[in-house]
């Protein structure tokens, strides 16, 4: 059974009485990713109106926030599934300029890869990118299993491949830290699509993941940021390794918020 499935059993959904959910601090906790983010929920929520794409009052800030949310989802997926092998797929010759063809080729690649690894469900993430020299499209991806380069080459079959285990981390670092660093590499390409119009592949998702491996979210409620972090640390039984509070960020303009990561024991 995959480790992610075992983690789900450890952390059943915490049900809070409805009355307690009217206001207070709420943390969205992702146990498999050992990460959570939260904010203060007021008693009366402000009315929100629909804003058409491209019609935001501050398009630059809107793009930045959209990119931040996408990077967070990508990071949690990588961490939850310990995707610590980073690879690149490139086309030979004149390259590929057809996004539909790219998606078909990458789909075949991961089916071949899964078969070559024994056929078990395989969590992965991949990000398309336009090559700087006009060569067309290439792909960056991450997986969790050790994969022989020869198998990657055989599974792709359209040109050049590269794959490596994430390294250059501190002594004692494990798959969790490695997967977060891999997510950082992939996030650079995803973030660029929100701010660079030439990087966006229109009509396609900014990244793709294997279905069935999304991290589970549970809610934790408390009277203060400290109580949320304390409750989450006890639930995870893991050490807090990184945290952020909007009170310490002079450029923060949203509701009071917090974010935290925990490490493997």
């Amino acid at each position: 059974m995959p480790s992610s499935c075992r983690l789900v059993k450890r952390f059943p959904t915490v049900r809070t009485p409805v009355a307690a959910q009217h206001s207070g601090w709420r943390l969205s906790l992702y146990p498999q990713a050992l990460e959570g983010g939260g904010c203060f929920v007021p008693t009366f929520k402000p009315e929100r109106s629909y804003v058409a794409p491209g019609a935001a009052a501050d398009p630059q800030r809107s793009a930045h926030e959209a990119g931040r949310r996408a990077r967070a989802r990508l990071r949690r997926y990588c961490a939850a599934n310990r995707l610590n092998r980073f690879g690149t797929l490139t086309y030979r010759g004149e390259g590929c300029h057809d996004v539909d063809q790219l998606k078909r080729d990458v789909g075949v690649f991961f089916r071949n890869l899964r078969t070559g690894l024994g056929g078990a469900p395989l969590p992965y993430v991949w990000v398309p990118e336009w090559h700087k020299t006009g060569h067309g499209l290439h792909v960056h991806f991450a997986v969790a299993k050790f994969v022989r380069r020869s198998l990657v080459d055989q599974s792709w079959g359209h040109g050049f491949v590269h794959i490596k285990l994430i390294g250059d981390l501190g002594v004692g670092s494990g798959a969790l830290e490695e997967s977060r660093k891999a997510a950082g590499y992939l996030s650079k390409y995803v973030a660029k699509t929100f701010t660079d119009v030439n990087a966006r592949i229109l009509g396609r998702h900014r990244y793709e993941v294997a279905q069935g491996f999304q991290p589970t979210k549970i809610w934790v409620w408390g009277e203060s940021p400290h109580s949320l972090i304390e409750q989450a640390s006890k639930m995870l039984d893991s050490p807090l390794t990184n945290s952020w509070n909007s009170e310490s960020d002079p450029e923060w303009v949203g509701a009071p918020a917090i974010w935290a990561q925990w490490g493997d024991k």
Side-chain angles (χ1 to χ4, degrees):
M1 179 181 296
S3 59
S4 58
C5 294
R6 293 195 295 271
L7 280 168
V8 170
K9 291 185 177 181
R10 287 178 53 199
F11 305 105
T13 301
V14 177
R15 298 189 178 277
T16 306
V18 175
Q21 297 183 12
H22 286 178
S23 66
W25 282 89
R26 184 181 71 189
L27 181 74
S28 297
L29 182 64
Y30 298 83
Q32 296 144 300
L34 292 171
E35 180 177 326
C39 64
F40 181 78
V41 180
T43 303
F44 299 101
K45 295 183 179 180
E47 293 186 4
R48 300 183 183 276
S49 56
Y50 171 76
V51 178
D58 187 344
Q60 186 174 6
R61 178 173 177 269
S62 179
H64 174 77
E65 286 300 305
R68 181 186 61 80
R69 291 191 295 269
R71 293 195 304 272
R73 289 192 295 268
L74 177 59
R75 183 180 62 248
R76 292 192 297 261
Y77 184 91
C78 286
N81 295 290
R82 306 302 191 264
L83 306 186
N84 61 347
R85 266 90 174 172
F86 180 80
T88 302
L89 308 174
T90 306
Y91 286 88
R92 65 172 67 90
E94 296 181 357
C96 175
H97 297 77
D98 185 334
V99 294
D100 292 322
Q101 184 63 51
L102 174 76
K103 187 171 184 178
R104 288 193 293 269
D105 290 342
V106 175
V108 171
F109 166 74
F110 280 112
R111 287 195 293 273
N112 291 341
L113 197 64
R114 185 175 60 219
T115 299
L117 291 171
L122 177 71
Y124 61 78
V125 58
W126 65 273
V127 178
E129 184 190 26
W130 288 108
H131 202 278
K132 295 178 181 179
T133 62
H135 186 72
L137 293 155
H138 60 278
V139 169
H140 306 285
F141 70 94
V143 293
K145 289 179 173 293
F146 166 75
V147 185
R148 301 187 314 276
R149 181 189 172 90
S150 59
L151 177 58
V152 178
D153 195 12
Q154 179 183 350
S155 299
W156 178 234
H158 296 287
F160 309 101
V161 301
H162 173 72
I163 188 167
K164 67 174 183 178
L165 173 67
I166 299 299
D168 301 326
L169 295 172
V171 176
S173 299
L176 176 62
E177 291 80 9
E178 293 165 352
S179 63
R180 285 171 174 166
K181 188 169 183 178
Y185 290 146
L186 294 169
S187 292
K188 290 191 302 182
Y189 307 114
V190 172
K192 188 165 59 175
T193 65
F194 287 91
T195 57
D196 183 353
V197 65
N198 295 319
R200 180 78 169 97
I201 299 177
L202 298 178
R204 293 298 176 196
H205 295 155
R206 289 177 166 87
Y207 65 92
E208 301 277 354
V209 301
Q211 299 303 308
F213 295 94
Q214 290 290 354
T216 303
K217 178 177 73 174
I218 61 177
W219 283 350
V220 180
W221 289 80
E223 297 179 352
S224 68
H226 176 75
S227 68
L228 289 181
I229 298 299
E230 189 176 56
Q231 288 183 70
S233 296
K234 290 180 180 179
M235 293 172 64
L236 298 172
D237 191 23
S238 298
L240 181 68
T241 58
N242 199 6
S243 64
W244 170 88
N245 191 316
S246 60
E247 289 184 353
S248 62
D249 188 346
E251 297 184 0
W252 183 256
V253 295
I258 60 171
W259 170 84
Q261 285 181 330
W262 289 261
D264 279 330
K265 293 192 298 182

